[in-house]
Amino acid sequence: MPRAIKTQVPLHASPQPDSDVLIELKQGEIFEVLELAGDHAWGVAPAHQLVGYLPASVLERPAA
């Protein structure tokens, strides 16, 4: 499910906050959520063709 990023955030290689940062995603970029687990979302940043983790709290709510 595609969701917009609310604020700039690092895309991490794993759910741990000290894991490698793959890229900084900017506000408004699209993140395709594949799985929500706890406080994190795992998915794809299609503009960068990268898969990783970010805090679920930075994602806009899906449109109703």
Side-chain angles (χ1 to χ4, degrees):
M1 89 183 93
R3 306 266 292 273
I5 301 291
K6 290 194 284 190
T7 184
Q8 185 168 327
V9 64
L11 182 68
H12 286 271
S14 74
Q16 290 74 30
D18 61 346
S19 67
D20 290 341
V21 173
L22 303 174
I23 197 165
E24 287 281 330
L25 298 176
K26 295 182 175 81
Q27 180 181 1
E29 285 194 67
I30 298 300
F31 185 73
E32 293 183 12
V33 177
L34 302 174
E35 182 178 2
L36 291 170
D39 296 338
H40 287 86
W42 173 67
V44 179
H48 307 283
Q49 299 181 341
L50 292 171
V51 176
Y53 295 82
L54 49 74
S57 61
V58 302
L59 298 172
E60 294 283 350
R61 292 182 163 253

